[in-house]
Structure formats: C-alpha cells, structure tokens
Amino acid sequence: MEIVFIILIIVLFVLAFSDLIVGVSNDAVNFLNSAVGSRAAPLRTILIVAAAGVLVGATMSSGMMEIARKGIFHPEMFYFREILMLFLAVMITDVILLDTFNTFGLPTSTTVSIVFELLGAAVGISSLKLLGADKGLSELGNYINTEKAMMIIFGILLSVFIAFTVGAVIQYFARLAFSFHYKRNLKYAGAVWGGFAITAITYFILIKGAKSAAFMTSDVKEFIFNNTWGIIAASFVAWTLIMQLLHSLFKVNILKLIVMVGTFALAMAFAGNDLVNFIGVPIAGLKAYQIFSGSPGSDPETFPMTQLQGDVDTPTLILLFSGLVMMVTLWTSKKARSVIKTTVDLSRQDEGSERFGSTYLSRVIVRSARTISSQIGSVVPASLKTGIDKRFEPAPPQEKDDPNIKGLVPVASFDMIRASVTLVVASILIALGTSLKLPLSTTYVTFMVAMGTSLSDRAWGRESAVYRITGVFSVIGGWFLTALAAFTVSLIMAVIFYLGGFIAVIAMSLLAIFIVYRTYRHHKAQQAAKKEESEDVKSMREVARKTIRKNTESVYDLYTRTFKALFNEDNNKLWKISKKARKTDSAIKGVRDNVHQTIHALKTENVQNAHHYVQVCDYLREIAHNLAYIVQPALEHVDNNHKPLIAVQQEELNELLKRIDGFHDQMMNMIAQNDYADFDELIKNEVKINNYIESLRVNQIKRIKNSQVGTKNSVLFLALLNESKNMLLNAGNLMKSMRDFENPDSDA
C-alpha cells in the first residue's frame, strides 16, 4: 500500500512541475507586457531581466503554503487518502485548465484557478463523506472555509474595478504632463517622475517581495514595517537625484530604466508569491505523506490530517528548482508569447486587424461614452479642450530593430510613458493590497491597469473601441469561466478519484498528458500558419504575390470540392467545406483589414501604386464572398434532402469545372512567374467561359419550360452559374490589379 502512495506523491510533483510550465506561460504577461509592448529593450534583454527577477523571487518565496493547506478547507476534517485524492484532482485540473487558456492566448489567474479547484475538490469529497454518513449537505460548512473563500472572491472582484479606474486616472494626468512628445519634457520632469516610479517599485519589492522572504530576520521585517514612510521619503529623494544625474551626465533613458526595473520587480513578485499556486499543493501533499508515514500501522482511510494545521516549510532546493523551471519556460514557451500578444493587441495605440468582433454590449457602451463625452465637451471651454487635445496628439510610431520582438510587436504598441505608468500603478496596487492583507490576483490587476491606461491614452478610438471592449469583456468572461470550470472539473475529478482510487488517478493523468499534447500540436499548427502569413519577405510585392496565391488556391480548391460533394449528395463533406470556407473568408478579411498597416509600412517609391494592392485585396474578398454564395446554397439543398441535379446538369457543371480549372492554372502561373505577358489571353479565356456559362443558363431555361426540373433545382443551378460568373469577373479584375501592381508601367 505504501508504494502506491509514494507513486501518487511522485505523480503529484510531476503534475506540479507541468503546472509550473503552463502557469508561467500564462502569468508571463503580468511582467512582460509593458516591456514588450513598448519595446523598451531587445527581447533577449527583457527575458534576462525577467528571468533574474523570477529566480530571485523563487528563492525569496515565503515558506508558508497556507492556501493549499488550510485556506479553503479544514484539513482536520479529512483523512489521508481523501486529502491525497483532493490534491491530485486539483493539480490535474489546473494543468488542463491553464494549458487550454494558453492555447487560445487568453490571460487568466493562477490564483483564482487554484482557489476554485481546491474549493471544488473539497466540496466534492466532503459531499461524498456526508452522503456516505447519511448526513445532510447543510454540514458542508464544517469542511469548507467559506469565510476565507468569499473574502478571496470579493477581493479579486474589487481589485478589477480599482485597477482599471486608478490606471486610467494616473495615465490621463501623466499624459497631460508629458504628452506623446515626451522627450523634450523629460529634461524638466523626468527625474521627478523617475524618482517617484523607482520609489514605488522599491516599496513594492520590499512589501511584496523581500519582506516575505524566509531569510529576512524578524528585526529587519519590523524595521521595514515601522519605518515604511521614512524609507519611501529617503528613496524618493535619492532616486530623484540619481535619475537627474543619469539623464544629465550619462544621457540614460530614464523611462527605459523604469520599465526594466518594474519588469524585474513584477517578475520577482510573481515568482515569490504566485509560486504557491503551483507547488503549494504538492508540498502540502508531501507533508501529509510524511505525517502519515510517521505513524506506522495507521489506516489511510481513517488517519486524520489534523497536523496540516501547523506550519509547513518549503525546501529551499524545491524553490530553487522551481525558479529554474520558470526561467527556462520564459525563454522557450511559445504559448506565453500568444498570451502576451493578446494583451498587447488590446492596448496598442495604433489601429489594425482586431482579434475580437463587435457585440451589442460593446456598441452600447461606446455609444453611451460618446454621448457623455459630447455633453462634457459642450461645457468645457474651447481653449482648454484644444490644449488637452494637443497633449494627446500621438507621435508617429518608431520601429525598433529586434527581430525577436518583431514577431510579437511589429512596431512599439505604446510608448514608454504608458509602459512605466502601467508598471508603477500595478506595483503600487499589488503592494498596497498585500500590506492590507487583501487577496488579489496579480494577473487581474496588471491586465486591468493596462486596459485603463490604454483607455485614457485614447488608444480605443472610434475605429477600434467596440472591438477592444469586446476583447476586454471576453478576457473578463474567461476569468469567470476559469472559476466555474476550475470548481466543476476539480469536483468531478475528486469524485472520480475518491471512487476509483489509484487506477482512476493514473488514467486521468494519462488523459491530461494527451490533452496537453493535443493542445500543443494545435497551437504549433496555429503558430506555423501565422508565421507563414507574417514571414519577413523582401518586399510588399512578394507579400501580395504569396498571399494571393495561397488564398486563391484555397478558394478554387473549395469551389471544386463543393461541386463534387453536391453531385454525390455528401452532406458531411459539404458541412466541412462550409466550415473551411468561413475560415478562408476570415483569413482573407484579415488581409483586407491589414491594408492600412501594409501601406503605412511601404517605402516611398512604392506608395504611388499602393492603390493597386488595395484593389487586389478587395477583389480577393469578393471572390471569397462568391465562394460562400456557392457553398451555402449547395449545403442547404443537400441538407434539406431536395432532389439531386440531373445527369445533364452534372455533365455541364463538370465541363465548367474543367474550364475554370484551366483558367485558374493560368492565373497561378502568371502570379508565380510574375509574368503578365499573356494577360490578354487570360481575359479572352474568361470571356469564353462566361459565354459558356450563358449557354448553360439558356439550357436551364429550356429545361424549366419543358418541366424537366423543379423549382429548387432551378434556384440552385442558376445560383451556381451566377456566382461562378461573378467569381470569374472578380478573378479577372484581380489579375489586372496584380499586373498593374507588379508592373506599374503597364497601368493604363
């Protein structure tokens, strides 16, 4: 029996370090967002600073793992076997949940996930115990620390509102003080801002980091507590003088220094405090096993875990190893970069392709905000309004040279004024919450501060506001989903383990590994596709050529497959084609939506014929629409079990497919070889095919008059002919625009 428990403890730690990897991948956004978004330094430098903060924070981590042991439930009410199954349920759920969020690039809270997983598993096992003892569920309060759980939930919800509001207010006044053209203002106010910022971060490090370190003596901690304001005042004076000297004598960019120090501080705090979310549970499980094994002959089914109420020291080697795992994950995790990109895109200053769509709620909020703004503007003096607007006039984006960050952020998404404000405000709020012993999520605080600062910076303009608001609500909705999913899945896991024992644990562990592997493959495929689309090519013409070839090939492939599936009345294939057609349309829409950035990035000599590229994108989008108007009627016809096309119609359409296939080959050869000498031949071929389509239309009219076909047949057949003709026309126009774009001299 003992060997089984040893294996389960090993499984618990394996899951914990797996959880550490997926957890860091998600929480990395907390401390990398500002530095990466502002491109304060090369990515390598940012990662080195963050990794150093993570390692220091891990070694300074508090030795107390209270939440995992007794923060959510009362351990004395559980037996050894029950507590072990509870912990295993928590860790498996956490790995699956966090990995899922990472795959979709959504930031969530490791604190919230672990709290609700502990709560769900404890409720599950407690309920089974009560039902087994013929007791009512009304006694759950004896097992669950409901007061602590509600306090954590309330604190987290409150921190979301406060973080957004404070971030927005501070950023507004910071922008008024410095404007977007802040470099000239740094001469006068830069040192003061730098002194304030570094002081706030120093206070953050002391309160949130070093103060909780196990090696800090009680005398030092007491000194920090009793002299907090003196330390703050002295730090402000000292750092202000240092900032002035660095700026005046050594020409150091104060804002870069603030961003990098803030990145270090948040990384340190994350490792020092959120580490409990990953290794707190297995440490508590190991302690439970040590308590049980210290009582030979005890029955795991009846041995109470009362001693877990005491202190549990975390082995330093485990902390150090955890820190190293976190460092390696920072450098290697692709999913971490996906999560970072989501937050950066929601807060970027410029417009462009938006990941999230528009919802009724976001439109109502934007419309209401415009109304309120208009009413306020009507009573504000015109001169004051003009002066304020001038402070918020954005400066042109400055592109950096780091190719690593370039994959995440093509140009700086926001300037270092906002980056420094985000870090300082997040540091202050987290430090303040910690000093007041209020539970909060570092993820929620840093994300909402970032959103608040971007709102005040007018990054959410009329072109992007509805999409950004939808994105924020989607992320916040994901947080509630985190809590619900964590509670539900962990409860189910705990019940399965309680009833199924060792076999159930091994089976679910293997399932978790399989799920993580599948999400890894899915994410890798997504990233490969994005890399292919955003590959750094030599010129805009190469981008256009590659994009047009890829998407037109996809459209014509789906076009051909639609007809074949229609002939075979294959409903399943038509559903799959419809799904792929929507994905293709979405991809082409992304190309069209990114026209603004593409043109903005053009070299001067290419601007004169950029409008041809716009035309290419427009015609490509129209071709995608034509495909949709072919696929959908075909699907509905088969799905509704209407009569199939008769043999002569299928023969006519097969001939049409052959002709269009030849036309498509001509297109692809011309684009691939960048040779449009045979463009006139292509157009002649287009005319011939259109004439053939007209003959098919005449044939269909004759069949209608002779009552050879029914209404549904006629509607479908004529729709297929009409959209095929439109597709050809759009393809011909696309090729003309491509010719003019590739060869400006041919433009007539």
Side-chain angles (χ1 to χ4, degrees):
M1 178 63 72
E2 186 172 353
I3 189 65
V4 171
F5 291 127
I6 292 174
I7 293 173
L8 292 179
I9 294 296
I10 293 173
V11 170
L12 198 58
F13 272 93
V14 170
L15 289 169
F17 285 109
S18 301
D19 193 38
L20 195 59
I21 293 171
V22 296
V24 172
S25 297
N26 199 282
D27 276 355
V29 68
N30 297 342
F31 47 87
L32 294 178
N33 171 50
S34 294
V36 171
S38 64
R39 300 184 66 156
L43 184 61
R44 181 182 297 273
T45 303
I46 295 171
L47 290 177
I48 289 173
V49 171
V54 164
L55 186 60
V56 172
T59 55
M60 294 168 60
S61 182
S62 171
M64 305 300 296
M65 299 292 175
E66 181 183 355
I67 290 180
R69 291 185 297 106
K70 58 180 181 179
I72 303 300
F73 58 88
H74 301 295
E76 69 275 12
M77 302 298 294
F78 296 86
Y79 301 128
F80 171 63
R81 180 184 178 277
E82 296 167 347
I83 212 83
L84 199 56
M85 295 302 166
L86 187 155
F87 288 154
L88 284 163
V90 167
M91 295 313 299
I92 288 181
T93 302
D94 210 45
V95 170
I96 295 173
L97 184 66
L98 293 180
D99 185 67
T100 301
F101 272 84
N102 292 343
T103 300
F104 292 100
L106 294 175
T108 192
S109 170
T110 54
T111 301
V112 169
S113 64
I114 203 73
V115 165
F116 278 90
E117 284 154 4
L118 285 165
L119 185 61
V123 168
I125 291 182
S126 300
S127 299
L128 289 176
K129 285 169 63 70
L130 289 171
L131 293 174
D134 293 327
K135 295 181 180 179
L137 295 181
S138 59
E139 295 188 28
L140 269 177
N142 297 328
Y143 294 80
I144 309 300
N145 191 344
T146 52
E147 182 179 351
K148 182 73 172 181
M150 292 305 298
M151 180 181 175
I152 291 172
I153 295 168
F154 176 75
I156 289 171
L157 292 175
L158 183 63
S159 69
V160 167
F161 173 76
I162 293 176
F164 183 84
T165 304
V166 174
V169 171
I170 299 298
Q171 177 61 33
Y172 183 81
F173 287 106
R175 188 60 70 193
L176 282 179
F178 290 98
S179 81
F180 279 95
H181 305 273
Y182 57 85
K183 292 183 179 179
R184 60 190 177 210
N185 296 323
L186 287 178
K187 297 178 183 179
Y188 313 105
V192 175
W193 170 245
F196 171 76
I198 301 296
T199 298
I201 294 170
T202 302
Y203 173 71
F204 171 78
I205 292 174
L206 288 174
I207 298 300
K208 186 70 174 164
K211 188 178 176 182
S212 61
F215 63 81
M216 294 280 283
T217 65
S218 57
D219 291 338
V220 174
K221 293 179 181 179
E222 185 177 356
F223 175 80
I224 293 174
F225 179 78
N226 293 331
N227 298 276
T228 298
W229 289 107
I231 293 172
I232 291 174
S235 295
F236 176 72
V237 174
W239 281 117
T240 301
L241 293 175
I242 292 172
M243 292 295 106
Q244 188 62 55
L245 289 173
L246 289 174
H247 180 72
S248 301
L249 300 180
F250 302 102
K251 307 302 179 183
V252 173
N253 189 324
I254 295 173
L255 296 177
K256 281 188 177 182
L257 182 62
I258 294 172
V259 172
M260 298 313 292
V261 172
T263 299
F264 174 87
L266 280 177
M268 188 195 76
F270 155 72
N273 295 273
D274 286 3
L275 189 58
V276 64
N277 299 336
F278 312 118
I279 66 171
V281 169
I283 292 296
L286 177 61
K287 179 64 176 179
Y289 173 74
Q290 290 171 343
I291 294 170
F292 171 73
S293 61
S295 303
S298 299
D299 184 356
E301 301 285 351
T302 59
F303 186 80
M305 287 286 99
T306 306
Q307 293 183 57
L308 276 184
Q309 287 282 10
D311 295 344
V312 176
D313 295 326
T314 307
T316 304
L317 286 178
I318 292 181
L319 291 176
L320 183 59
F321 182 72
S322 300
L324 292 173
V325 171
M326 295 162 85
M327 285 178 58
V328 173
T329 302
L330 272 182
W331 281 88
T332 59
S333 175
K334 301 298 182 183
K335 292 185 179 181
R337 303 186 185 192
S338 297
V339 179
I340 292 169
K341 194 173 189 309
T342 297
T343 304
V344 170
D345 284 348
L346 285 174
S347 58
R348 71 175 187 266
Q349 194 70 35
D350 62 324
E351 299 168 3
S353 179
E354 301 290 345
R355 173 178 174 180
F356 299 92
S358 171
T359 62
Y360 175 75
L361 179 60
S362 63
R363 292 193 293 271
V364 169
I365 291 174
V366 171
R367 197 173 295 116
S368 301
R370 284 183 56 204
T371 301
I372 295 171
S373 176
S374 177
Q375 291 174 347
I376 294 175
S378 64
V379 298
V380 174
S383 58
L384 178 60
K385 186 178 179 181
T386 302
I388 292 175
D389 289 341
K390 191 173 182 180
R391 306 299 287 178
F392 282 86
E393 289 179 358
Q398 300 295 319
E399 183 159 358
K400 310 296 181 188
D401 298 324
D402 180 24
N404 294 314
I405 292 185
K406 198 168 185 178
L408 284 173
V409 188
V411 294
S413 296
F414 42 80
D415 64 13
M416 280 182 282
I417 289 291
R418 199 204 308 173
S420 61
V421 169
T422 300
L423 287 166
V424 170
V425 173
S427 298
I428 291 175
L429 291 177
I430 294 170
L432 182 62
T434 302
S435 64
L436 296 175
K437 297 182 179 180
L438 294 175
L440 47 77
S441 165
T442 53
T443 298
Y444 295 180
V445 170
T446 53
F447 178 83
M448 294 309 296
V449 168
M451 295 303 103
T453 55
S454 63
L455 175 65
S456 281
D457 238 4
R458 301 186 180 181
W460 298 1
R462 291 184 63 174
E463 298 292 330
S464 61
V466 290
Y467 310 111
R468 303 287 176 87
I469 292 173
T470 300
V472 172
F473 280 133
S474 296
V475 172
I476 294 175
W479 296 345
F480 286 100
L481 180 62
T482 298
L484 178 62
F487 179 88
T488 305
V489 177
S490 187
L491 187 151
I492 294 171
M493 288 285 185
V495 170
I496 292 173
F497 294 169
Y498 185 86
L499 299 176
F502 178 77
I503 300 299
V505 171
I506 299 301
M508 296 308 295
S509 297
L510 293 175
L511 177 62
I513 293 171
F514 175 74
I515 291 173
V516 171
Y517 172 74
R518 290 288 297 175
T519 58
Y520 166 76
R521 291 292 300 272
H522 175 75
H523 186 266
K524 186 177 181 181
Q526 281 185 327
Q527 294 305 305
K530 290 179 181 178
K531 183 179 180 181
E532 184 180 350
E533 291 175 4
S534 61
E535 190 179 17
D536 189 18
V537 290
K538 294 179 180 179
S539 70
M540 180 181 162
R541 291 190 176 90
E542 284 191 47
V543 174
R545 191 181 305 131
K546 187 173 183 179
T547 301
I548 300 308
R549 284 189 64 188
K550 176 183 176 182
N551 287 289
T552 52
E553 284 179 350
S554 177
V555 168
Y556 278 93
D557 175 63
L558 293 172
Y559 174 81
T560 302
R561 289 167 58 189
T562 299
F563 279 87
K564 291 180 179 179
L566 174 63
F567 297 159
N568 295 325
E569 297 186 89
D570 194 328
N571 192 45
N572 291 332
K573 281 189 178 179
L574 283 171
W575 274 110
K576 292 177 181 178
I577 292 169
S578 177
K579 184 177 180 181
K580 289 183 179 179
R582 287 194 295 271
K583 286 185 178 180
T584 300
D585 182 64
S586 178
I588 294 174
K589 181 179 182 296
V591 174
R592 180 64 183 85
D593 290 346
N594 280 318
V595 163
H596 177 78
Q597 284 93 333
T598 306
I599 293 176
H600 185 74
L602 277 175
K603 294 181 180 179
T604 305
E605 61 269 21
N606 289 334
V607 174
Q608 59 181 337
N609 66 320
H611 66 281
H612 293 308
Y613 180 68
V614 175
Q615 289 178 322
V616 168
C617 294
D618 285 339
Y619 288 127
L620 185 61
R621 189 79 203 280
E622 289 302 318
I623 290 173
H625 288 160
N626 296 141
L627 175 66
Y629 294 139
I630 289 172
V631 174
Q632 194 59 34
L635 172 60
E636 290 177 359
H637 188 89
V638 175
D639 202 30
N640 289 323
N641 297 301
H642 296 316
K643 290 181 180 180
L645 298 178
I646 61 178
V648 65
Q649 289 176 315
Q650 294 188 26
E651 290 175 6
E652 291 174 345
L653 291 178
N654 271 323
E655 177 62 26
L656 176 61
L657 286 176
K658 290 179 183 178
R659 299 190 183 200
I660 288 180
D661 187 55
F663 178 85
H664 175 249
D665 287 343
Q666 283 182 281
M667 285 178 58
M668 293 300 98
N669 289 333
M670 293 171 69
I671 295 174
Q673 298 173 14
N674 192 23
D675 184 359
Y676 295 86
D678 295 331
F679 176 75
D680 290 340
E681 291 299 320
L682 180 76
I683 298 303
K684 288 179 181 178
N685 192 14
E686 177 196 330
V687 172
K688 289 180 181 178
I689 298 174
N690 279 329
N691 288 337
Y692 178 70
I693 291 175
E694 287 301 321
S695 70
L696 297 186
R697 200 193 307 269
V698 171
N699 291 343
Q700 179 65 11
I701 292 173
K702 291 179 180 178
R703 285 191 288 266
I704 294 172
K705 286 187 175 182
N706 295 330
S707 301
Q708 292 178 275
V709 292
T711 302
K712 299 298 183 183
N713 177 292
S714 298
V715 170
L716 174 64
F717 192 80
L718 292 175
L720 296 177
L721 295 181
N722 185 59
E723 292 305 327
S724 295
K725 182 177 181 178
N726 290 337
M727 181 182 288
L728 275 172
L729 291 172
N730 286 319
N733 289 329
L734 181 148
M735 292 303 293
K736 181 180 184 301
S737 297
M738 278 294 294
R739 180 199 65 180
D740 296 340
F741 176 70
E742 295 276 15
N743 306 291
D745 293 338
S746 69
D747 191 11

